[in-house]
């Protein structure tokens, strides 16, 4: 694609290194991501309730560290925070490889969660330091596609390699994940060691208005945080509990079908992200299209529950994942770009931290909501709530649009009236 070649040719060398880091890092993460609960339960022999509580530590630790991470990014630079996070990730993965008791596993998963909480505001800030404008939106989209490629490929390799009857196979993949964390550390200490200066940090004392309270007094920041929280609640947050539980217990889908459905989601993201990026450049109201696509996807999943155990149910599940993937390709290049277009250089880390906290909050709330409604056997109410949440995202996107400048909404003066867009 001509625009992709143009994007790559015009990308600073630091941007290319960042994309390489994403590819390696997510490949290592994919080796273990689908199998940690299985490892804790079937290899280390922890009770299911203990394993579930341990898994929650990742999200809780990430949420707790998000606000301090934003402050640290603005005080010491994104690169320093990323180095700390990757070090925690490396130590946590290595510990988990040998975690024969719950306390060691708890420490390991907490360290991994600290990295996740620090990585989102720090990495997004680092991207903003390297690229801007339309290139930034495209970068976030390609970054998301690479994440899915890496996690998907890592999951396939890990699935073929690990064996619950051979604990050493799990030890190997967790050590491999720890080793993968060394790559970002090496790049941050080497080719990216001067990136901090690219962010324009030599600006003298920061104004007192750049704290979290001042950011959250801005209507645009509040609407964007609310939109992110709701989007995760009805979107990504449902992938670990809500969607597989509905597919299995309500739609009666086989485990094979569920596995294929998740593969369909990843494949569609990889296939669609680049074409979508070429269409949304300079267009507005992309998030409204995303929310509409997700609402339609949830209706497809609801239809799958009307014929449990049938081919129709499986088809509905696969269609849900495909349509949902299309919405994901619209969301990922948009929200991080808007966040960084609104942010000032002296508070960019905290702007990204607010968005990361909203994301992590949605990720914590989503399993609880799904577990409550599906546990009460009110599947229709569950699907209805998800659809209503998608419609709420549409309303929030419209409210946000009225409170941000056109440039932050991806609209340049030359194409505000362009036809054939998603608006």
């Amino acid at each position: 694609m001509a625009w992709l070649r143009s994007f790559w040719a015009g990308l600073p060398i630091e941007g290319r290194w960042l994309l390489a880091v994403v590819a390696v890092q997510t490949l290592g993460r994919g080796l273990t991501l689908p199998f940690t609960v299985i490892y804790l339960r079937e290899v280390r022999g922890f009770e299911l309730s203990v394993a579930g509580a341990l898994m929650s530590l990742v999200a809780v630790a990430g949420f707790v560290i998000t606000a301090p991470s934003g402050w640290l990014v603005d005080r010491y630079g994104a690169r320093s925070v990323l180095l700390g996070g990757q070090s925690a990730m490396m130590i946590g993965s290595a510990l988990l490889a040998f975690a024969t008791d719950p306390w060691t596993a708890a420490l390991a998963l907490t360290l991994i969660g600290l990295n996740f909480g620090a990585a989102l505001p720090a990495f997004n800030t680092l991207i903003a330091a390297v690229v801007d404008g339309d290139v930034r939106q495209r970068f976030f989209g390609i970054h998301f596609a690479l994440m899915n490629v890496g996690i998907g490929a890592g999951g396939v390799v890990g699935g073929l390699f690990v064996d619950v009857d051979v604990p050493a196979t799990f030890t190997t993949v967790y050590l491999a994940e720890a080793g993968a964390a060394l790559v970002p550390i090496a790049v941050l200490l080497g080719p990216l060691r001067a990136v901090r200066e690219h962010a324009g940090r030599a600006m003298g004392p920061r104004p007192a208005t750049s704290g979290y309270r001042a950011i959250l007094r801005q209507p645009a920041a509040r609407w964007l945080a609310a939109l992110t929280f709701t989007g995760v609640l009805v979107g990504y947050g449902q992938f670990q509990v809500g969607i597989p539980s509905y597919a299995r217990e309500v739609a009666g889908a086989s485990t094979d079908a569920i596995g294929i459905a998740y593969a369909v989601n990843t494949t569609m993201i990889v296939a669609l992200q680049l074409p979508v990026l070429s269409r949304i450049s300079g267009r507005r109201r992309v998030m409204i299209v995303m929310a509409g696509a997700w609402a339609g996807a949830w209706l497809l999943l609801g239809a799958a529950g009307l014929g449990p155990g049938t081919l129709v149910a499986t088809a509905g599940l696969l269609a849900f994942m495909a349509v949902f993937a299309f919405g994901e390709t619209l969301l990922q290049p948009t929200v991080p770009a808007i966040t960084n277009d609104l942010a000032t250089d002296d508070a960019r880390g905290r702007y990204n931290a607010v968005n990361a906290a909203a994301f992590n909050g949605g990720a914590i709330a989503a399993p609880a909501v799904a577990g409550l409604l599906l546990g009460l056997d009110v599947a229709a109410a569950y699907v209805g709530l998800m659809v209503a949440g998608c419609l709420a995202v549409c309303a929030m996107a419209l409210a946000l649009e009225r409170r941000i400048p056109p440039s932050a909404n991806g609209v340049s003066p030359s194409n505000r009236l362009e036809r054939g867009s998603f608006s």
Side-chain angles (χ1 to χ4, degrees):
M1 300 173 67
W3 76 264
L4 181 58
R5 289 193 296 270
S6 174
F7 165 81
W8 184 256
L11 199 63
I13 188 64
E14 295 91 347
R16 299 180 186 184
W17 275 112
L18 284 175
L19 289 178
V21 164
V22 170
V24 175
Q25 185 181 24
T26 54
L27 179 65
R29 185 62 186 144
L31 289 171
T32 65
L33 185 61
F35 311 112
T36 300
V37 170
I38 296 172
Y39 170 67
L40 296 174
R41 181 74 183 96
E42 299 187 36
V43 177
R44 295 309 181 190
F46 300 161
E47 294 292 333
L48 184 57
S49 58
V50 174
L54 289 171
M55 289 296 294
S56 70
L57 288 174
V58 177
V60 172
F63 182 80
V64 170
I65 199 64
T66 299
S69 294
W71 182 85
L72 289 169
V73 166
D74 291 330
R75 181 67 178 84
Y76 298 104
R79 178 175 159 273
S80 299
V81 175
L82 277 174
L83 282 169
Q86 288 300 309
S87 299
M89 183 73 188
M90 180 180 64
I91 296 170
S93 297
L95 275 176
L96 198 56
F98 303 100
T100 57
D101 62 86
W103 293 109
T104 304
L107 176 59
L109 291 167
T110 298
L111 288 171
I112 291 172
L114 291 176
N115 171 61
F116 291 158
L120 186 55
F123 197 82
N124 284 355
T125 299
L126 200 61
I127 291 172
V130 172
V131 294
D132 57 14
D134 184 55
V135 176
R136 182 182 291 166
Q137 184 185 60
R138 295 185 179 191
F139 193 104
F140 279 119
I142 292 172
H143 163 245
F144 181 57
L146 276 178
M147 282 180 58
N148 279 274
V149 171
I151 291 175
V156 170
V157 173
L160 293 173
F161 182 77
V162 296
D163 184 344
V164 294
D165 295 321
V166 186
T169 59
F170 283 88
T171 299
T172 300
V173 294
Y174 281 107
L175 290 178
E177 182 181 33
L182 286 171
V183 174
I185 291 174
V187 172
L188 289 166
L189 291 174
L192 298 182
R193 62 186 179 277
V195 165
R196 181 180 176 183
E197 282 71 35
H198 288 247
R201 297 198 178 269
M203 297 175 292
R206 289 186 299 273
T209 57
S210 61
Y212 283 114
R213 185 175 299 176
I215 292 171
L216 291 174
R217 279 201 294 263
Q218 301 173 24
R222 294 198 301 271
W223 279 107
L224 187 58
L227 187 152
T228 299
F229 174 86
T230 308
V232 174
L233 179 64
V234 301
Y236 300 118
Q238 299 299 327
F239 268 64
Q240 285 191 322
V241 176
I243 294 169
S245 297
Y246 186 95
R248 184 68 177 156
E249 298 178 19
V250 180
S254 67
T255 53
D256 288 345
I258 294 172
I260 292 171
Y262 276 73
V264 165
N265 179 262
T266 299
T267 302
M268 291 296 291
I269 288 171
V270 174
L272 291 175
Q273 186 66 83
L274 296 184
V276 165
L277 279 173
S278 69
R279 291 284 295 157
I280 67 174
S281 177
R283 275 107 172 145
R284 58 195 286 175
R285 299 185 177 175
V286 172
M287 287 183 288
I288 297 174
V289 180
M290 176 275 296
W294 279 5
W298 279 111
L299 291 174
L300 287 170
L301 189 64
L306 299 178
T310 65
L311 185 60
V312 172
T314 300
L317 174 61
L318 297 178
F320 165 82
M321 285 297 198
V323 176
F324 198 91
F326 169 68
E328 291 177 81
T329 63
L330 294 169
L331 176 66
Q332 282 302 319
T334 307
V335 170
I338 291 176
T339 300
N340 283 281
D341 286 343
L342 291 175
T344 56
D345 282 335
D346 67 298
R348 194 173 299 280
R350 278 164 284 189
Y351 271 89
N352 280 295
V354 169
N355 186 59
F359 187 101
N360 289 329
I364 292 171
V369 171
L372 174 64
L373 294 179
L374 294 177
L376 293 173
D377 198 23
V378 286
Y382 169 69
V383 173
L385 180 62
M386 296 299 105
V387 173
C390 293
L391 297 178
V393 169
C394 288
M396 292 175 188
L398 285 171
L400 176 64
E401 183 181 290
R402 294 193 294 268
R403 291 166 173 83
I404 60 177
S407 59
N409 201 19
V411 184
S412 61
S414 63
N415 54 21
R416 288 179 193 174
L417 299 178
E418 181 180 345
R419 300 180 63 178
S421 70
F422 282 120
S423 62

mmCIF file of all heavy atoms in Angstrom, residues 243-254 257-258 261 296-321 379-380 383:
data_model
loop_
_atom_site.group_PDB
_atom_site.id
_atom_site.type_symbol
_atom_site.label_atom_id
_atom_site.label_comp_id
_atom_site.label_asym_id
_atom_site.label_seq_id
_atom_site.Cartn_x
_atom_site.Cartn_y
_atom_site.Cartn_z
ATOM 1 N N ILE A 243 -17.663 -12.754 27.543
ATOM 2 C CA ILE A 243 -17.858 -13.367 26.228
ATOM 3 C C ILE A 243 -17.682 -14.878 26.268
ATOM 4 O O ILE A 243 -18.554 -15.621 25.779
ATOM 5 C CB ILE A 243 -16.928 -12.708 25.186
ATOM 6 C CG1 ILE A 243 -17.335 -11.246 24.989
ATOM 7 C CG2 ILE A 243 -16.981 -13.459 23.852
ATOM 8 C CD1 ILE A 243 -16.331 -10.434 24.199
ATOM 9 N N PRO A 244 -16.574 -15.411 26.836
ATOM 10 C CA PRO A 244 -16.459 -16.879 26.869
ATOM 11 C C PRO A 244 -17.540 -17.547 27.712
ATOM 12 O O PRO A 244 -18.005 -18.631 27.375
ATOM 13 C CB PRO A 244 -15.057 -17.125 27.438
ATOM 14 C CG PRO A 244 -14.668 -15.856 28.101
ATOM 15 C CD PRO A 244 -15.359 -14.761 27.349
ATOM 16 N N SER A 245 -17.952 -16.897 28.803
ATOM 17 C CA SER A 245 -19.000 -17.486 29.648
ATOM 18 C C SER A 245 -20.330 -17.524 28.910
ATOM 19 O O SER A 245 -21.041 -18.536 28.948
ATOM 20 C CB SER A 245 -19.140 -16.685 30.948
ATOM 21 O OG SER A 245 -17.956 -16.747 31.707
ATOM 22 N N TYR A 246 -20.685 -16.432 28.237
ATOM 23 C CA TYR A 246 -21.931 -16.410 27.465
ATOM 24 C C TYR A 246 -21.866 -17.438 26.344
ATOM 25 O O TYR A 246 -22.831 -18.190 26.111
ATOM 26 C CB TYR A 246 -22.158 -15.014 26.885
ATOM 27 C CG TYR A 246 -23.495 -14.860 26.184
ATOM 28 C CD1 TYR A 246 -24.600 -14.344 26.852
ATOM 29 C CD2 TYR A 246 -23.662 -15.248 24.854
ATOM 30 C CE1 TYR A 246 -25.825 -14.217 26.216
ATOM 31 C CE2 TYR A 246 -24.873 -15.127 24.205
ATOM 32 C CZ TYR A 246 -25.958 -14.612 24.895
ATOM 33 O OH TYR A 246 -27.172 -14.503 24.254
ATOM 34 N N ALA A 247 -20.738 -17.477 25.641
ATOM 35 C CA ALA A 247 -20.606 -18.409 24.524
ATOM 36 C C ALA A 247 -20.740 -19.856 24.986
ATOM 37 O O ALA A 247 -21.377 -20.681 24.319
ATOM 38 C CB ALA A 247 -19.263 -18.199 23.830
ATOM 39 N N ARG A 248 -20.166 -20.158 26.117
ATOM 40 C CA ARG A 248 -20.161 -21.548 26.599
ATOM 41 C C ARG A 248 -21.475 -21.923 27.272
ATOM 42 O O ARG A 248 -22.065 -22.979 26.987
ATOM 43 C CB ARG A 248 -19.000 -21.723 27.583
ATOM 44 C CG ARG A 248 -18.814 -23.142 28.094
ATOM 45 C CD ARG A 248 -18.354 -24.045 27.002
ATOM 46 N NE ARG A 248 -18.114 -25.396 27.501
ATOM 47 C CZ ARG A 248 -18.148 -26.470 26.743
ATOM 48 N NH1 ARG A 248 -18.436 -26.362 25.445
ATOM 49 N NH2 ARG A 248 -17.888 -27.648 27.251
ATOM 50 N N GLU A 249 -21.963 -21.087 28.187
ATOM 51 C CA GLU A 249 -23.085 -21.471 29.038
ATOM 52 C C GLU A 249 -24.441 -21.094 28.456
ATOM 53 O O GLU A 249 -25.446 -21.732 28.760
ATOM 54 C CB GLU A 249 -22.921 -20.834 30.421
ATOM 55 C CG GLU A 249 -21.648 -21.300 31.134
ATOM 56 C CD GLU A 249 -21.461 -20.631 32.484
ATOM 57 O OE1 GLU A 249 -22.459 -20.104 33.022
ATOM 58 O OE2 GLU A 249 -20.325 -20.627 32.987
ATOM 59 N N VAL A 250 -24.492 -20.045 27.643
ATOM 60 C CA VAL A 250 -25.769 -19.612 27.068
ATOM 61 C C VAL A 250 -25.909 -20.089 25.625
ATOM 62 O O VAL A 250 -26.925 -20.683 25.254
ATOM 63 C CB VAL A 250 -25.919 -18.071 27.134
ATOM 64 C CG1 VAL A 250 -27.261 -17.643 26.538
ATOM 65 C CG2 VAL A 250 -25.794 -17.589 28.576
ATOM 66 N N ALA A 251 -24.855 -19.858 24.822
ATOM 67 C CA ALA A 251 -24.915 -20.266 23.419
ATOM 68 C C ALA A 251 -24.551 -21.731 23.217
ATOM 69 O O ALA A 251 -24.769 -22.276 22.128
ATOM 70 C CB ALA A 251 -24.011 -19.376 22.573
ATOM 71 N N GLY A 252 -23.965 -22.355 24.237
ATOM 72 C CA GLY A 252 -23.608 -23.767 24.132
ATOM 73 C C GLY A 252 -22.514 -24.054 23.126
ATOM 74 O O GLY A 252 -22.447 -25.147 22.555
ATOM 75 N N ALA A 253 -21.630 -23.091 22.899
ATOM 76 C CA ALA A 253 -20.542 -23.283 21.944
ATOM 77 C C ALA A 253 -19.480 -24.198 22.533
ATOM 78 O O ALA A 253 -19.239 -24.217 23.744
ATOM 79 C CB ALA A 253 -19.921 -21.938 21.561
ATOM 80 N N SER A 254 -18.831 -24.979 21.670
ATOM 81 C CA SER A 254 -17.747 -25.850 22.115
ATOM 82 C C SER A 254 -16.504 -25.033 22.409
ATOM 83 O O SER A 254 -16.364 -23.883 21.960
ATOM 84 C CB SER A 254 -17.431 -26.890 21.033
ATOM 85 O OG SER A 254 -16.886 -26.256 19.886
ATOM 86 N N ALA A 257 -14.850 -24.069 19.234
ATOM 87 C CA ALA A 257 -15.482 -22.935 18.560
ATOM 88 C C ALA A 257 -15.085 -21.620 19.216
ATOM 89 O O ALA A 257 -14.856 -20.613 18.529
ATOM 90 C CB ALA A 257 -16.998 -23.095 18.572
ATOM 91 N N ILE A 258 -14.986 -21.629 20.544
ATOM 92 C CA ILE A 258 -14.587 -20.409 21.247
ATOM 93 C C ILE A 258 -13.154 -20.036 20.883
ATOM 94 O O ILE A 258 -12.835 -18.862 20.638
ATOM 95 C CB ILE A 258 -14.740 -20.595 22.767
ATOM 96 C CG1 ILE A 258 -16.227 -20.760 23.120
ATOM 97 C CG2 ILE A 258 -14.133 -19.408 23.522
ATOM 98 C CD1 ILE A 258 -16.476 -21.126 24.556
ATOM 99 N N ALA A 261 -13.147 -18.581 17.492
ATOM 100 C CA ALA A 261 -13.731 -17.240 17.507
ATOM 101 C C ALA A 261 -12.704 -16.195 17.908
ATOM 102 O O ALA A 261 -12.621 -15.112 17.314
ATOM 103 C CB ALA A 261 -14.929 -17.206 18.452
ATOM 104 N N GLY A 296 -24.150 -3.650 17.198
ATOM 105 C CA GLY A 296 -24.581 -4.699 16.282
ATOM 106 C C GLY A 296 -23.953 -6.034 16.605
ATOM 107 O O GLY A 296 -24.609 -7.089 16.512
ATOM 108 N N ALA A 297 -22.677 -6.016 17.011
ATOM 109 C CA ALA A 297 -22.001 -7.263 17.367
ATOM 110 C C ALA A 297 -22.665 -7.929 18.568
ATOM 111 O O ALA A 297 -22.886 -9.145 18.583
ATOM 112 C CB ALA A 297 -20.528 -6.982 17.663
ATOM 113 N N TRP A 298 -23.012 -7.127 19.592
ATOM 114 C CA TRP A 298 -23.663 -7.711 20.776
ATOM 115 C C TRP A 298 -25.025 -8.301 20.427
ATOM 116 O O TRP A 298 -25.431 -9.324 20.992
ATOM 117 C CB TRP A 298 -23.798 -6.651 21.870
ATOM 118 C CG TRP A 298 -22.533 -6.456 22.642
ATOM 119 C CD1 TRP A 298 -21.715 -5.361 22.635
ATOM 120 C CD2 TRP A 298 -21.927 -7.399 23.542
ATOM 121 N NE1 TRP A 298 -20.644 -5.570 23.457
ATOM 122 C CE2 TRP A 298 -20.744 -6.797 24.035
ATOM 123 C CE3 TRP A 298 -22.254 -8.675 23.975
ATOM 124 C CZ2 TRP A 298 -19.896 -7.448 24.932
ATOM 125 C CZ3 TRP A 298 -21.416 -9.324 24.868
ATOM 126 C CH2 TRP A 298 -20.254 -8.719 25.342
ATOM 127 N N LEU A 299 -25.730 -7.682 19.498
ATOM 128 C CA LEU A 299 -27.007 -8.260 19.061
ATOM 129 C C LEU A 299 -26.788 -9.604 18.371
ATOM 130 O O LEU A 299 -27.592 -10.537 18.524
ATOM 131 C CB LEU A 299 -27.730 -7.285 18.133
ATOM 132 C CG LEU A 299 -28.263 -6.003 18.788
ATOM 133 C CD1 LEU A 299 -28.838 -5.057 17.738
ATOM 134 C CD2 LEU A 299 -29.333 -6.336 19.845
ATOM 135 N N LEU A 300 -25.705 -9.730 17.621
ATOM 136 C CA LEU A 300 -25.366 -11.006 16.991
ATOM 137 C C LEU A 300 -25.064 -12.066 18.046
ATOM 138 O O LEU A 300 -25.490 -13.223 17.915
ATOM 139 C CB LEU A 300 -24.161 -10.834 16.064
ATOM 140 C CG LEU A 300 -24.404 -10.094 14.753
ATOM 141 C CD1 LEU A 300 -23.073 -9.802 14.061
ATOM 142 C CD2 LEU A 300 -25.306 -10.924 13.837
ATOM 143 N N LEU A 301 -24.350 -11.678 19.095
ATOM 144 C CA LEU A 301 -24.066 -12.644 20.153
ATOM 145 C C LEU A 301 -25.342 -13.018 20.891
ATOM 146 O O LEU A 301 -25.534 -14.185 21.274
ATOM 147 C CB LEU A 301 -23.042 -12.065 21.133
ATOM 148 C CG LEU A 301 -22.504 -13.064 22.168
ATOM 149 C CD1 LEU A 301 -21.726 -14.180 21.496
ATOM 150 C CD2 LEU A 301 -21.619 -12.358 23.196
ATOM 151 N N GLY A 302 -26.228 -12.023 21.092
ATOM 152 C CA GLY A 302 -27.510 -12.338 21.717
ATOM 153 C C GLY A 302 -28.307 -13.330 20.890
ATOM 154 O O GLY A 302 -28.930 -14.258 21.429
ATOM 155 N N ALA A 303 -28.276 -13.176 19.562
ATOM 156 C CA ALA A 303 -28.979 -14.119 18.691
ATOM 157 C C ALA A 303 -28.378 -15.514 18.792
ATOM 158 O O ALA A 303 -29.091 -16.515 18.673
ATOM 159 C CB ALA A 303 -28.924 -13.620 17.245
ATOM 160 N N ALA A 304 -27.067 -15.588 19.029
ATOM 161 C CA ALA A 304 -26.419 -16.889 19.172
ATOM 162 C C ALA A 304 -26.983 -17.665 20.361
ATOM 163 O O ALA A 304 -27.031 -18.898 20.349
ATOM 164 C CB ALA A 304 -24.915 -16.713 19.326
ATOM 165 N N GLY A 305 -27.422 -16.927 21.394
ATOM 166 C CA GLY A 305 -27.972 -17.598 22.566
ATOM 167 C C GLY A 305 -29.379 -18.123 22.377
ATOM 168 O O GLY A 305 -29.889 -18.842 23.235
ATOM 169 N N LEU A 306 -30.015 -17.774 21.243
ATOM 170 C CA LEU A 306 -31.379 -18.254 20.998
ATOM 171 C C LEU A 306 -31.420 -19.694 20.500
ATOM 172 O O LEU A 306 -32.458 -20.346 20.562
ATOM 173 C CB LEU A 306 -32.066 -17.337 19.965
ATOM 174 C CG LEU A 306 -32.204 -15.868 20.370
ATOM 175 C CD1 LEU A 306 -32.848 -15.060 19.243
ATOM 176 C CD2 LEU A 306 -33.023 -15.739 21.656
ATOM 177 N N GLY A 307 -30.283 -20.179 20.014
ATOM 178 C CA GLY A 307 -30.229 -21.570 19.533
ATOM 179 C C GLY A 307 -29.019 -22.270 20.088
ATOM 180 O O GLY A 307 -28.095 -22.611 19.334
ATOM 181 N N PRO A 308 -28.983 -22.485 21.396
ATOM 182 C CA PRO A 308 -27.781 -23.041 22.024
ATOM 183 C C PRO A 308 -27.381 -24.392 21.435
ATOM 184 O O PRO A 308 -28.215 -25.249 21.181
ATOM 185 C CB PRO A 308 -28.182 -23.179 23.504
ATOM 186 C CG PRO A 308 -29.661 -23.097 23.536
ATOM 187 C CD PRO A 308 -30.072 -22.283 22.368
ATOM 188 N N GLY A 309 -26.068 -24.517 21.230
ATOM 189 C CA GLY A 309 -25.524 -25.780 20.764
ATOM 190 C C GLY A 309 -25.712 -26.045 19.284
ATOM 191 O O GLY A 309 -25.378 -27.127 18.809
ATOM 192 N N THR A 310 -26.217 -25.088 18.526
ATOM 193 C CA THR A 310 -26.488 -25.292 17.110
ATOM 194 C C THR A 310 -25.435 -24.595 16.255
ATOM 195 O O THR A 310 -24.619 -23.824 16.747
ATOM 196 C CB THR A 310 -27.873 -24.750 16.726
ATOM 197 O OG1 THR A 310 -27.870 -23.326 16.898
ATOM 198 C CG2 THR A 310 -28.956 -25.370 17.605
ATOM 199 N N LEU A 311 -25.490 -24.880 14.974
ATOM 200 C CA LEU A 311 -24.597 -24.221 14.036
ATOM 201 C C LEU A 311 -24.859 -22.720 14.001
ATOM 202 O O LEU A 311 -23.935 -21.917 13.832
ATOM 203 C CB LEU A 311 -24.796 -24.819 12.637
ATOM 204 C CG LEU A 311 -23.846 -24.315 11.536
ATOM 205 C CD1 LEU A 311 -22.399 -24.611 11.901
ATOM 206 C CD2 LEU A 311 -24.218 -24.953 10.201
ATOM 207 N N VAL A 312 -26.136 -22.341 14.195
ATOM 208 C CA VAL A 312 -26.488 -20.924 14.228
ATOM 209 C C VAL A 312 -25.785 -20.222 15.391
ATOM 210 O O VAL A 312 -25.307 -19.087 15.258
ATOM 211 C CB VAL A 312 -28.011 -20.752 14.331
ATOM 212 C CG1 VAL A 312 -28.386 -19.299 14.564
ATOM 213 C CG2 VAL A 312 -28.688 -21.281 13.073
ATOM 214 N N ALA A 313 -25.721 -20.893 16.529
ATOM 215 C CA ALA A 313 -25.051 -20.312 17.691
ATOM 216 C C ALA A 313 -23.569 -20.089 17.407
ATOM 217 O O ALA A 313 -23.004 -19.033 17.728
ATOM 218 C CB ALA A 313 -25.230 -21.217 18.900
ATOM 219 N N THR A 314 -22.922 -21.074 16.801
ATOM 220 C CA THR A 314 -21.504 -20.936 16.459
ATOM 221 C C THR A 314 -21.298 -19.822 15.448
ATOM 222 O O THR A 314 -20.378 -19.011 15.571
ATOM 223 C CB THR A 314 -20.961 -22.258 15.893
ATOM 224 O OG1 THR A 314 -21.110 -23.288 16.879
ATOM 225 C CG2 THR A 314 -19.494 -22.124 15.527
ATOM 226 N N ALA A 315 -22.169 -19.758 14.448
ATOM 227 C CA ALA A 315 -22.069 -18.705 13.432
ATOM 228 C C ALA A 315 -22.253 -17.332 14.066
ATOM 229 O O ALA A 315 -21.552 -16.363 13.716
ATOM 230 C CB ALA A 315 -23.102 -18.929 12.334
ATOM 231 N N GLY A 316 -23.184 -17.214 15.012
ATOM 232 C CA GLY A 316 -23.397 -15.941 15.695
ATOM 233 C C GLY A 316 -22.182 -15.516 16.490
ATOM 234 O O GLY A 316 -21.822 -14.326 16.509
ATOM 235 N N LEU A 317 -21.530 -16.490 17.139
ATOM 236 C CA LEU A 317 -20.326 -16.189 17.912
ATOM 237 C C LEU A 317 -19.199 -15.702 16.998
ATOM 238 O O LEU A 317 -18.528 -14.706 17.287
ATOM 239 C CB LEU A 317 -19.877 -17.428 18.688
ATOM 240 C CG LEU A 317 -18.544 -17.328 19.430
ATOM 241 C CD1 LEU A 317 -18.589 -16.233 20.485
ATOM 242 C CD2 LEU A 317 -18.181 -18.674 20.057
ATOM 243 N N LEU A 318 -19.003 -16.400 15.881
ATOM 244 C CA LEU A 318 -17.946 -16.004 14.948
ATOM 245 C C LEU A 318 -18.235 -14.633 14.334
ATOM 246 O O LEU A 318 -17.332 -13.803 14.180
ATOM 247 C CB LEU A 318 -17.806 -17.056 13.844
ATOM 248 C CG LEU A 318 -17.372 -18.455 14.295
ATOM 249 C CD1 LEU A 318 -17.329 -19.400 13.107
ATOM 250 C CD2 LEU A 318 -16.010 -18.417 14.976
ATOM 251 N N ALA A 319 -19.522 -14.389 13.998
ATOM 252 C CA ALA A 319 -19.893 -13.088 13.428
ATOM 253 C C ALA A 319 -19.680 -11.978 14.450
ATOM 254 O O ALA A 319 -19.226 -10.875 14.109
ATOM 255 C CB ALA A 319 -21.351 -13.123 12.968
ATOM 256 N N PHE A 320 -20.014 -12.252 15.707
ATOM 257 C CA PHE A 320 -19.778 -11.277 16.768
ATOM 258 C C PHE A 320 -18.313 -10.867 16.798
ATOM 259 O O PHE A 320 -17.974 -9.676 16.816
ATOM 260 C CB PHE A 320 -20.181 -11.862 18.119
ATOM 261 C CG PHE A 320 -19.655 -11.088 19.299
ATOM 262 C CD1 PHE A 320 -20.309 -9.959 19.751
ATOM 263 C CD2 PHE A 320 -18.488 -11.485 19.941
ATOM 264 C CE1 PHE A 320 -19.815 -9.229 20.835
ATOM 265 C CE2 PHE A 320 -17.986 -10.766 21.018
ATOM 266 C CZ PHE A 320 -18.652 -9.641 21.465
ATOM 267 N N MET A 321 -17.412 -11.852 16.807
ATOM 268 C CA MET A 321 -15.986 -11.558 16.899
ATOM 269 C C MET A 321 -15.490 -10.776 15.688
ATOM 270 O O MET A 321 -14.634 -9.895 15.808
ATOM 271 C CB MET A 321 -15.195 -12.862 17.046
ATOM 272 C CG MET A 321 -15.285 -13.475 18.435
ATOM 273 S SD MET A 321 -14.558 -12.376 19.677
ATOM 274 C CE MET A 321 -14.302 -13.535 21.022
ATOM 275 N N ALA A 379 -29.265 -13.675 30.950
ATOM 276 C CA ALA A 379 -28.420 -13.443 29.783
ATOM 277 C C ALA A 379 -28.968 -12.310 28.918
ATOM 278 O O ALA A 379 -28.204 -11.516 28.366
ATOM 279 C CB ALA A 379 -28.295 -14.721 28.966
ATOM 280 N N ALA A 380 -30.293 -12.215 28.796
ATOM 281 C CA ALA A 380 -30.880 -11.160 27.971
ATOM 282 C C ALA A 380 -30.563 -9.787 28.558
ATOM 283 O O ALA A 380 -30.272 -8.831 27.816
ATOM 284 C CB ALA A 380 -32.388 -11.360 27.856
ATOM 285 N N VAL A 383 -26.873 -8.924 27.671
ATOM 286 C CA VAL A 383 -26.707 -8.425 26.309
ATOM 287 C C VAL A 383 -27.331 -7.041 26.171
ATOM 288 O O VAL A 383 -26.758 -6.137 25.547
ATOM 289 C CB VAL A 383 -27.325 -9.404 25.289
ATOM 290 C CG1 VAL A 383 -27.322 -8.806 23.883
ATOM 291 C CG2 VAL A 383 -26.567 -10.725 25.298
#
